[in-house]
Amino acid sequence: MLKRKIEKYLADWKRSEGKKPLVIKGIRQCGKTYIVRKFARENYESVVYVNFILEPDKKSAFAGNMDVEAIILNLSALIPGCRFVEGKTCIILDEIQECKEARTALKSFHIDGRFDVIATGSLLGVKGYGSTKRKLEEYSQDSVPVGYETLVDMYPLDFEEFLWANGIGDAVVNSIKKCFENEEPVPEGVHKAMMELLYRYVIVGGLPDVVNCFLKTKNIGLIYKKQRDLIADYEEDMVKYADDADKPHIRECFESIPKQLAKENKKFQYSIVKKGGRASQYAGSIQWLEDAGVIRRCFNTHTTELPLDGNSIADCFKVYTTDIGILMAMLDYGTQADILRGNLLGYKGAIFENLMADFLCKSGQKLYYFHKDSGLEVDFLTRFKGECVLIEVKAKNGKAKSMMTVLKHKNTYHVNNAIKLGQYNVGREGEVLTIPLYMGFLIKEKLADVMIPDIDLGALS
């Protein structure tokens, strides 16, 4: 049984006053259904579960009248023995993207207020792609009850959750966090063990089925097969939910990712997808993969200043898989063992760069980098401690010339600090904080409560 951070979010949601129906979206097989059903069993007297993929007949319960009483009556007829107890029942609507009427009904459930409702969806961002643009717009406008639902993203296990799964308790994790915050070296024994765990995370990733296979067997072959099976599921979704004309383009974009990351300049190039490829052919395919949660774009910026989103360049980006395990499954079998043995050469940099993208994605951050035609390039930019900070990822110890160039020209780039990750312990060299690769999951902005001061309006009277 894997401990997940979203369990605390669910507990806080249940205790909140005036809560809205909760919609959890995320990549297929990231653990949504398991966690929601486990939470409901442990916290409610009665649980009513509907899966619109496995039980398409249940869609009829939401046809026509959107009144809660009518829906409950319909569900009672379709699910013998189900009970609806006011204040003590959780209704789970799994794969809700398959029933737009159920999504619309969330407004009625919120207004009614007697029952807690949790919906999940693997492809909420892409449902409707198989229809015409007009039908997609109708689906979006008619079915989403804006203002009457709480939408939250769920990801595969992040590195901290992977540590929990491997029996690493909060005491060890907190000690690592303290070393990061105080910029103190991690004790050598702990440091060595954490690096070994990181390599295993790179190989396995965070998809729950794959993590459980790793914990049970430790067999690289079985782990790789499980990953490949999940990729086959994603490719099946590409066929099921895309227009016929887009199906090969989506798959071609997806399969080009390892080649894109192998380049010195990792900017996504459509000509790498297919010779002569153009943005007009493939831009929608990239959007599909991102909406499905399979990949995340990392946008180049005009300058190294906040706000990063405001300075980003829409048509200039790199592409990473949201889970490092997906990338590993796309590479040749044997790459996993090479990582453990330290035999991987040039491509190791691409893998650990995608690892940093995994860390940032799963902490809810958008991805940005900085590249100039002169060749100046910094792997990632992020907001950290209230300022724009450079991030450089080194698979091995090495210099970061572009990072140092940016730091030296403060009048031009307005950057004061950088973080360099590699195979070393915590240390500082002037403006550069060096940390081990496994500390990448700790690089995130802590949002503090900032109160807007009152204005003295006495002079206006």
Side-chain angles (χ1 to χ4, degrees), residues 7 30 52 57 61 74 97 111 116 150 169 196 222 251 255 264 276 348 363 382 397 416 445:
E7 293 180 84
C30 71
F52 290 112
D57 60 304
N74 292 339
Q97 77 277 355
I111 294 171
D116 289 354
T150 298
E196 291 298 327
L222 295 176
R251 188 162 182 166
E255 292 176 347
E264 183 67 25
K348 195 172 184 178
S363 63
T382 192
N397 299 346
N416 298 311
E445 184 75 302

Side-chain angles (χ1 to χ4, degrees), residues 303-411:
T303 182
T304 53
E305 298 175 4
L306 300 177
L308 293 171
D309 195 53
N311 288 313
S312 64
I313 305 170
D315 59 353
C316 186
F317 54 86
K318 300 184 286 187
V319 169
Y320 299 103
T321 60
T322 50
D323 183 80
I324 186 63
I326 295 175
L327 175 63
M328 294 305 300
M330 298 174 76
L331 302 177
D332 299 339
Y333 177 67
T335 306
Q336 298 82 355
D338 288 337
I339 287 178
L340 288 179
R341 299 188 190 111
N343 293 340
L344 211 60
L345 299 176
Y347 202 84
K348 195 172 184 178
I351 291 173
F352 284 99
E353 199 173 310
N354 202 131
L355 173 67
M356 190 66 228
D358 174 300
F359 289 154
L360 294 170
C361 285
K362 291 176 181 176
S363 63
Q365 301 182 63
K366 294 182 179 180
L367 306 182
Y368 305 97
Y369 75 108
F370 183 61
H371 175 81
K372 294 183 70 176
D373 292 338
S374 62
L376 190 73
E377 180 163 347
V378 179
D379 292 339
F380 297 97
L381 306 176
T382 192
R383 176 189 286 269
F384 185 65
K385 295 184 177 179
E387 61 181 85
C388 177
V389 172
L390 315 177
I391 299 177
E392 277 288 309
V393 184
K394 298 296 179 184
K396 293 183 178 180
N397 299 346
K399 295 181 180 179
K401 294 180 181 178
S402 292
M403 181 182 73
M404 298 310 298
T405 299
V406 171
L407 288 172
K408 285 178 182 177
H409 296 85
K410 290 183 172 51
N411 290 336

